[in-house]
Each structure stands twice: as C-alpha cells, then as structure tokens.
C-alpha cells in the first residue's frame, strides 16, 4: 500500500469542519478561531480532559482531542440540560461528553477521508490525569487549537513522519 501524503491535510480540514458542525448543532457553540501548533514538537501539552481515538483501515492514525475544562463544562451543561446529574457523577458525565463529541466528529470524518473504504474507530480512551504526550520516534504531530467563546480544544493527529511533507505546510488549515 502506498502512503498518501495528502491524508493529513484532508483529515485536519475534515476534523475542523466536522467540529464546527457538531459543536453548533449539538451544543450551540461556535468556532471563533483556529491556531496551528508546531507539528515537530517533542511533546503535546494536554488540557483537562483528553479523548484519544485510533483510526484503522486505509488510514492508520491516532487523534487526540484535548479539552479545556471550561469548554467541556459548557458542552456538558448543554448535553445534560434536560436531566438531573447527581453531584458525584458529574466527572463521569464530563468524560462521557468528551467521548460522545469525539465519536460523533470522527465518525463523520471517516466518510470524508475514504468514501469507498471502511475506516475503523477505536473507542475513545479518556485521559484526565496526564499533562502531555511525548512524540513517538519517527512520528509527527499535526495539531490545531480550535477556539470558542467558552474555551478551546486542541486536536492533534499523531502519524508516521512519512505522511507529512518536509515543510509541514499541509497541516495548515484552509479556513479559520
């Protein structure tokens, strides 16, 4: 199988567009800006809660969504507006909110990436006690920070270096 060096910019564009759509439709939140993060960093710094998903099939990537607590709290409050959440279960519901949002976004992205092939998604691994992810050897991070008025989420794709052009320009998102 030959490596498709266009898959990373396509995935990043798809993730951005699907994040805009899902945040607006599911939580009423609007994306207000995007920042590119250095793709050759040695370590990803994580926010309060991070959901990590593996994509398999014609695409083999890890995708991490790291949420600031303020943004995740705003999403959680909108998701649970119609139910009463016991105080001792708020943490569980917050983690489940992150997992549900990420599953929805990446599930929609799989149809953008390879419409004619099946892409497998692993269940989200929710991490709330780590502060960073070290870059694996021969890998690169393609990252962006997606801003809303309520906070931000950093989205990073961890991929083999051969899938990224040398100058890392494909990681620039086409639209703010």
């Amino acid at each position: 199988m030959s490596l498709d060096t266009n898959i990373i910019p396509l995935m990043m564009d798809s993730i951005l567009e699907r994040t805009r759509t899902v945040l607006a439709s599911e939580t009423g939140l609007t994306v207000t800006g995007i920042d590119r993060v250095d793709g050759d960093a040695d370590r990803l710094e994580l926010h309060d809660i991070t959901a990590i998903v593996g994509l398999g099939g014609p695409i083999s990537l890890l995708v991490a969504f790291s949420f600031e607590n303020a943004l995740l709290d705003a999403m959680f409050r909108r998701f649970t507006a119609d139910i009463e959440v016991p105080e001792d279960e708020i943490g569980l519901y917050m983690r489940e909110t992150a997992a549900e949002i990420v599953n929805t976004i990446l599930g929609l992205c799989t149809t953008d990436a390879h419409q004619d092939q099946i892409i497998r998604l692993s269940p989200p691994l929710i991490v709330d006690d780590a502060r960073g992810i070290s870059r694996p050897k021969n890998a690169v991070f393609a990252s962006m920070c997606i801003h809303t008025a309520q906070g931000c989420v950093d989205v990073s794709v961890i991929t083999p270096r051969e899938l990224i052009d040398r100058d890392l320009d494909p990681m620039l998102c086409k639209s703010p």
Side-chain angles (χ1 to χ4, degrees):
M1 178 171 78
S2 65
L3 297 174
D4 181 359
T5 58
N6 291 320
I7 195 61
I8 303 306
L10 291 174
M11 280 301 296
M12 296 300 280
D13 286 343
S14 177
I15 289 168
L16 175 58
E17 288 312 309
R18 297 304 187 160
T19 299
R20 283 182 202 270
T21 301
V22 170
L23 286 180
S25 66
E26 299 294 325
T27 66
L29 300 174
T30 303
V31 171
T32 59
I34 292 89
D35 293 324
R36 177 182 172 249
V37 179
D38 181 13
D40 225 8
D42 290 328
R43 180 174 169 85
L44 289 177
E45 298 302 320
L46 301 179
H47 294 298
D48 301 296
I49 292 182
T50 302
I52 302 170
V53 175
L55 280 71
I59 298 174
S60 184
L61 308 168
L62 287 177
V63 183
F65 283 72
S66 190
F67 296 92
E68 282 185 343
N69 200 49
L71 174 58
L72 191 55
D73 185 62
M75 294 184 328
F76 158 76
R77 300 237 176 259
R78 288 185 169 115
F79 268 29
T80 60
D82 297 340
I83 63 172
E84 189 171 323
V85 178
E87 191 70 31
D88 62 337
E89 292 185 15
I90 290 176
L92 171 66
Y93 278 75
M94 293 273 283
R95 291 186 296 278
E96 291 299 318
T97 297
E100 184 65 26
I101 286 286
V102 169
N103 265 338
T104 303
I105 291 167
L106 292 179
L108 293 168
C109 287
T110 61
T111 60
D112 295 341
H114 281 277
Q115 294 180 358
D116 58 339
Q117 298 176 351
I118 294 174
I119 298 173
R120 294 182 306 276
L121 294 175
S122 71
L125 170 66
I126 304 299
V127 179
D128 60 3
D129 58 356
R131 293 293 126 216
I133 298 173
S134 295
R135 180 170 46 96
K137 186 177 182 175
N138 295 322
V140 82
F141 297 130
S143 300
M144 64 184 148
C145 181
I146 300 173
H147 298 273
T148 73
Q150 290 74 18
C152 73
V153 58
D154 290 344
V155 181
S156 300
V157 173
I158 304 162
T159 186
R161 184 169 293 281
E162 16 336 313
L163 288 181
I164 301 288
D165 286 348
R166 290 181 190 264
D167 62 5
L168 303 177
D169 282 343
M171 290 183 292
L172 291 173
C173 296
K174 291 180 185 167
S175 56

